[in-house]
Every structure is written in C-alpha cells, then in structure tokens.
C-alpha cells in the first residue's frame, strides 16, 4: 500500500517537473527542473526494482547532463528568444 502511494507521488512529481520545464522561459530554471525530473525518474527506476538503471540515470541524467546544460546556458542568453 505505501509503495503505491510513494510511486504515485513520484509520478505526480514527474508530471509537474515536465510541465515546469515546458513552461519556463528562463533556461537556467528549465535546466534545474530537468535535473529534478531526472532525479525523480531515477527514483522511479529504483522503485521499479531496477537499481542499475537508477544509478545510471542519476549519474548521467540528473548530474552530468544538467551540469552540461548549465555550462552551455552560461555561454548564451539566459532567457528563451522571443520572450519578454
């Protein structure tokens, strides 16, 4: 019972962070939301009893990819083109 509740909370967090990524005009905020999304996805993989995939997603998706996005955003404009 408690596992289903935790899994539902994680899935709602995934949907909320995906919507946040889509809605943010500030690219740094979107990159941080992407990191949260990847972390929640790795937690979901762990809950689905796939710890090897969860570790890979946490390390590469939440860690490395988010860091690369942030470094790339620092070299460009912080906001999306066409936004005020």
């Amino acid at each position: 019972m408690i596992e289903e509740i935790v899994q539902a909370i994680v899935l709602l967090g995934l949907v909320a962070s995906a919507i946040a990524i889509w809605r943010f005009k500030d690219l740094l905020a979107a990159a941080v939301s992407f990191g949260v999304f990847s972390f929640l996805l790795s937690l979901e993989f762990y809950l689905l009893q796939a710890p090897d995939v969860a570790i890979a997603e946490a390390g590469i998706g939440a860690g490395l990819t988010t860091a690369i996005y942030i470094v790339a955003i620092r070299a460009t404009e912080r906001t999306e083109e066409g936004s005020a």
Side-chain angles (χ1 to χ4, degrees), residues 17 21 29-39 57 60-62 65-66 69:
S17 62
I21 294 167
V32 170
S33 294
F34 175 75
V36 171
F37 179 85
S38 293
F39 176 74
E57 177 64 30
I60 296 170
T65 306
T66 303
Y69 282 157

Side-chain angles (χ1 to χ4, degrees), residues 41-71:
L41 188 61
S42 67
L43 184 59
E44 182 65 27
F45 284 137
Y46 182 76
L47 291 173
L48 292 172
Q49 299 177 356
D52 52 340
V53 179
I55 291 170
E57 177 64 30
I60 296 170
L64 185 63
T65 306
T66 303
I68 290 171
Y69 282 157
I70 290 172
V71 169

Side-chain angles (χ1 to χ4, degrees), residues 6-24:
V6 170
Q7 195 165 17
I9 291 170
V10 170
L11 290 174
L12 286 174
L14 281 168
V15 170
S17 62
I19 291 171
I21 294 167
W22 177 55
R23 296 286 297 169
F24 280 139

